Amino acid sequence: MSTSDNSNSSIVQDSLPTAAVKEIKRLIFLRTAEEKVFELEEDVAMESDTLKKVFQENDVPPETILSFPYVQSWQMEKVIEYCTKKLELKKKGADDGEKEMKAFQAEFIQDVSATRIVQLLHVANQFEIEYFLNFLFESLAEKAKNTSVDTLFSDVIDDPRRDNSVLFGKF
């Protein structure tokens, strides 16, 4: 009798739709300076050592909305876009992922000014995303080739209306 119970239960398990077995992903919520709230999947958020520390070491509930008052929405979008793509390609494997990542990086940075790269560096540093920091430093160095420092950052330094603390941090 117990044998038939086991076979019945296995039939029931086999007949379950795959959607019912699908893993439920936790969402992490981040608020920017403009009060815009971003929700991202936990695995993307855990690419950040800062967020990893907050949620894993400090036992902060995932439904908590973390505020980042010095991060602009466009910066958060770029960070999430880059980390999402990096994670996606990491799952693909070394050869395919590496080629696709180089193409993505070229497109990602193509129209980004040196000023914006410096701003993204500040955010990548705050979030402690080492691979993103490395990519941004390399990109900034590439933009700096054959360009004077004055030319490279003239729009940042010469504009008195600009809040340069966003670039260099408020301490």
Side-chain angles (χ1 to χ4, degrees), residues 26-30 40-57 60-62 66 79-80 83-84 87 90 127-131:
R26 282 191 346 179
L27 294 176
I28 303 293
F29 301 93
L30 308 175
L40 55 153
E41 291 180 1
E42 181 181 27
D43 58 344
V44 175
M46 294 304 113
E47 292 293 292
S48 160
D49 287 343
T50 301
L51 295 178
K52 206 180 290 184
K53 288 173 193 166
V54 168
F55 286 102
Q56 291 177 350
E57 293 175 14
V60 173
L66 295 180
V79 169
I80 292 170
C83 291
T84 301
L87 193 60
K90 195 187 300 183
F127 280 109
E128 297 180 75
I129 308 170
E130 188 174 336
Y131 62 79

Side-chain angles (χ1 to χ4, degrees), residues 31-92:
R31 181 180 295 131
T32 62
E34 303 91 356
E35 298 292 318
K36 183 174 181 182
V37 175
F38 288 82
E39 57 182 58
L40 55 153
E41 291 180 1
E42 181 181 27
D43 58 344
V44 175
M46 294 304 113
E47 292 293 292
S48 160
D49 287 343
T50 301
L51 295 178
K52 206 180 290 184
K53 288 173 193 166
V54 168
F55 286 102
Q56 291 177 350
E57 293 175 14
N58 297 325
D59 243 2
V60 173
E63 61 276 1
T64 303
I65 300 174
L66 295 180
S67 291
F68 291 90
Y70 301 116
V71 178
Q72 303 295 311
S73 294
W74 72 267
Q75 294 167 317
M76 188 70 77
E77 288 168 4
K78 288 294 223 183
V79 169
I80 292 170
E81 177 186 3
Y82 194 88
C83 291
T84 301
K85 188 66 167 184
K86 179 77 171 179
L87 193 60
E88 171 192 318
L89 295 177
K90 195 187 300 183
K91 292 175 184 175
K92 268 190 171 183

Side-chain angles (χ1 to χ4, degrees), residues 8-21:
N8 284 341
S9 66
S10 71
I11 292 171
V12 171
Q13 287 175 349
D14 291 341
S15 63
L16 286 174
T18 50
V21 181

Side-chain angles (χ1 to χ4, degrees), residues 12 17-18 25 28 33 38 42 48 63 66 75 87-88 96-97 100 104 111 125 129 144 146 149 154 156-157 164 166:
V12 171
T18 50
K25 296 190 177 196
I28 303 293
F38 288 82
E42 181 181 27
S48 160
E63 61 276 1
L66 295 180
Q75 294 167 317
L87 193 60
E88 171 192 318
D96 292 339
E100 202 174 321
F104 169 76
D111 296 325
N125 188 49
I129 308 170
N146 302 319
V149 174
S154 63
V156 178
I157 297 165
N164 290 329
V166 172

